[in-house]
Amino acid sequence: MFQLEPGSIDGAAMRMLVAARRSSNEHRDRSGVWRFRELLPALDPERIVTLRENDVPLYTARGGAAYAGLAGAAYLHLGMNPTGSFKDAGMTVALTRAAQTGARIAVCASTGNTAASMAAYAARAGLPAVVLVPSTGISESKVAQTLDYGATVLGVDGDFDAALATVRELDPHRVAIVNSVNPYRIEGQKTTAFVLLEQRGWRVPDWCVLPGGNLGNTSAFGKGFREALALGLIDRLPRIAVVQAAGAAPFARLFAQGGDMIPVKAQTTATAIKIGAPASWRKALREVRAVNGTVIAVTDEAIADARAVIGRDGIGCEPASAASLAGAKALVADGTIAPDADVVLVLTGHVLKDPTYAAAYHAGGERFANAIVHTRDRAELHARIETLATARAGA
Ligand code: F0G
């Protein structure tokens, strides 16, 4: 239903069209989702619910590349979206669709980011929104953000998987379910692959590394790359590496051992990806296999250290996002990714999404931590600044 008619637009025409739109002042042209609207489901272009999402930067990853053992790498920072996560790319399409079809209410289960994103777009669409979140073990900041946008938050006595199972029992004809089981979410999120390629002048990276939880994003990236190839926007497919947290890695196990998805009781401090029964595993598996990709798991400690390294590049991200760098490091170490490969690390959420985690890391004296010095002594403060400046001058 969402495919372009063959021959209706070609890659060269699409490249010119989106280049022109990037210098337009219209919101839907500057949105990194809607400037690709010819490649999206047919919706009334005059009634789009947009916050100018997905116009996200690609940054060089100097420290991150060195840390992973790579000659070079880049961060695609999806945390630089209006609500601070990659969810906005899908939510703009899902809520546009919900509003245009007269939905009464938008509902989702979430580890926090989907909740905040849905709440914002539902507010823009004038729709009431209800989120089901695990009552413990998610970032308070995400819950506060969701409440700020006016949504009703229902705390579920259980984990994300229980919350999603509850939502999936609802009648989709009565409520708009905007988890990534909603195909309009995936249609929006696939444009992130286009935005990545667009910023590289349509040069295809060797690897695209991203965190995996419920696996909607993996299936969206795979679809985006495939459609870009089919249109002639690119001439080959990048390989995809999905990285899970070791305590929430049913997809990594399945990829290594085959068979069906065996759900696990998820446990990880990267709470955004604390998911034991990923809904989109079948689609994600097809996409990873189609590009000769891979799936691995990394420890919470590796995620914590990688997150700190990303911070020191002047970038920062939330814990789950840093699975990308931790995973790239592991894949370089085991020879899967060549040290001179052209690698894009996808960062899915903003550094301020989980400040409690960051504060605990720095208080805990971990490897890359900064400590706060508390003193009221002005002479000492001056002396400390002078010491740092002197060290810098001598460096
Ligand atoms: N990174 C972040 C920051 C996330 O919030 C999520 C998922 C993922 C990665 C994993 O993406 O599920 O498409 O494989 N967060 C969902 C939520 C579950 O409710 O916010 P995925």
Side-chain angles (χ1 to χ4, degrees), residues 86-87 110-111 113-114 211-217 272-273 275 318 320 348:
F86 72 100
K87 306 290 182 181
S110 181
T111 55
N113 282 327
T114 302
N214 211 26
L215 300 173
N217 210 25
I273 51 173
I275 294 171
E318 72 164 282
T348 44

Side-chain angles (χ1 to χ4, degrees), residues 105-109 115 118-119 122 127-133 146 150-154 167 170 176 178:
I105 190 165
V107 181
C108 72
M118 179 190 74
L127 274 179
V130 179
V131 306
L132 274 71
V133 296
T146 303
T152 299
V153 175
L154 303 177
V167 166
L170 296 168
V178 299

Side-chain angles (χ1 to χ4, degrees), residues 84-87 108-116 142 160 179-180 185-186 189 210-219 242 244 271-275 278 318-321 347-350 353:
S85 86
F86 72 100
K87 306 290 182 181
C108 72
S110 181
T111 55
N113 282 327
T114 302
K142 295 174 184 175
F160 169 84
N179 280 103
S180 55
R185 276 275 309 280
I186 301 301
Q189 281 178 216
L210 76 161
N214 211 26
L215 300 173
N217 210 25
T218 302
S219 56
V242 180
Q244 298 207 287
T271 56
I273 51 173
K274 188 177 164 192
I275 294 171
E318 72 164 282
S321 305
L347 305 181
T348 44
H350 195 275
K353 280 286 193 175

Side-chain angles (χ1 to χ4, degrees), residues 23-377:
S23 56
S24 156
N25 278 326
E26 242 200 88
H27 279 298
R28 61 179 187 155
D29 287 344
R30 295 298 291 277
S31 159
V33 175
W34 297 103
R35 74 169 164 269
F36 299 97
R37 51 191 171 271
E38 286 75 10
L39 312 182
L40 292 173
L43 293 160
D44 178 356
E46 302 305 320
R47 292 189 298 137
I48 285 170
V49 183
T50 177
L51 289 163
R52 207 164 135 172
E53 53 289 316
N54 221 25
D55 207 15
V56 287
L58 190 64
Y59 298 123
T60 48
R62 207 169 294 116
Y67 180 74
L70 289 163
Y75 302 119
L76 180 70
H77 206 332
L78 309 182
M80 300 301 185
N81 260 298
T83 78
S85 86
F86 72 100
K87 306 290 182 181
D88 296 346
M91 220 47 92
T92 182
V93 181
L95 264 297
T96 295
R97 163 76 185 176
Q100 292 191 6
T101 51
R104 299 178 312 161
I105 190 165
V107 181
C108 72
S110 181
T111 55
N113 282 327
T114 302
S117 183
M118 179 190 74
Y121 284 85
R124 299 297 295 177
L127 274 179
V130 179
V131 306
L132 274 71
V133 296
S135 38
T136 58
I138 69 169
S139 160
E140 276 173 34
S141 312
K142 295 174 184 175
V143 176
Q145 186 186 9
T146 303
L147 292 167
D148 257 353
Y149 296 138
T152 299
V153 175
L154 303 177
V156 175
D157 190 15
D159 54 14
F160 169 84
D161 302 297
L164 183 60
T166 308
V167 166
R168 292 181 80 170
E169 285 161 11
L170 296 168
D171 177 356
H173 300 292
R174 294 188 64 76
V175 300
I177 298 171
V178 299
N179 280 103
S180 55
V181 293
N182 178 328
Y184 290 87
R185 276 275 309 280
I186 301 301
E187 288 303 305
Q189 281 178 216
K190 80 180 180 191
T191 64
T192 307
F194 307 154
V195 169
L196 163 62
L197 295 163
E198 180 186 35
Q199 289 188 69
R200 295 173 46 100
W202 305 98
R203 244 180 352 95
V204 180
D206 297 321
W207 283 95
C208 179
V209 188
L210 76 161
N214 211 26
L215 300 173
N217 210 25
T218 302
S219 56
F221 262 101
K223 188 169 198 281
F225 289 134
R226 278 191 295 107
E227 290 187 11
L229 182 69
L231 264 169
L233 284 167
I234 53 173
D235 54 9
R236 65 185 177 97
L237 293 170
R239 297 172 76 183
I240 294 175
V242 180
V243 188
Q244 298 207 287
F251 190 52
R253 191 213 58 83
L254 172 115
F255 188 81
Q257 296 171 15
D260 257 11
M261 172 60 61
I262 303 171
V264 301
K265 176 100 189 87
Q267 193 45 56
T268 169
T269 51
T271 56
I273 51 173
K274 188 177 164 192
I275 294 171
S280 297
W281 70 269
R282 278 197 181 80
K283 270 190 267 175
L285 186 61
R286 271 200 300 278
E287 300 295 354
V288 173
R289 286 205 174 130
V291 297
N292 190 23
T294 193
V295 186
I296 58 158
V298 294
T299 64
D300 282 358
E301 292 70 32
I303 290 174
D305 279 350
R307 200 196 69 89
V309 169
I310 296 164
R312 287 172 172 238
D313 265 330
I315 307 286
C317 63
E318 72 164 282
S321 305
S324 298
L325 177 58
K329 182 176 167 67
L331 291 167
V332 172
D334 76 8
T336 307
I337 297 183
D340 62 350
D342 182 355
V343 178
V344 173
L345 305 165
V346 177
L347 305 181
T348 44
H350 195 275
V351 64
L352 294 177
K353 280 286 193 175
D354 200 343
T356 311
Y357 180 103
Y361 183 88
H362 291 287
E366 312 274 345
R367 263 202 301 157
F368 299 94
N370 279 330
I372 306 178
V373 177
H374 294 279
T375 174
R376 296 171 63 171
D377 179 340

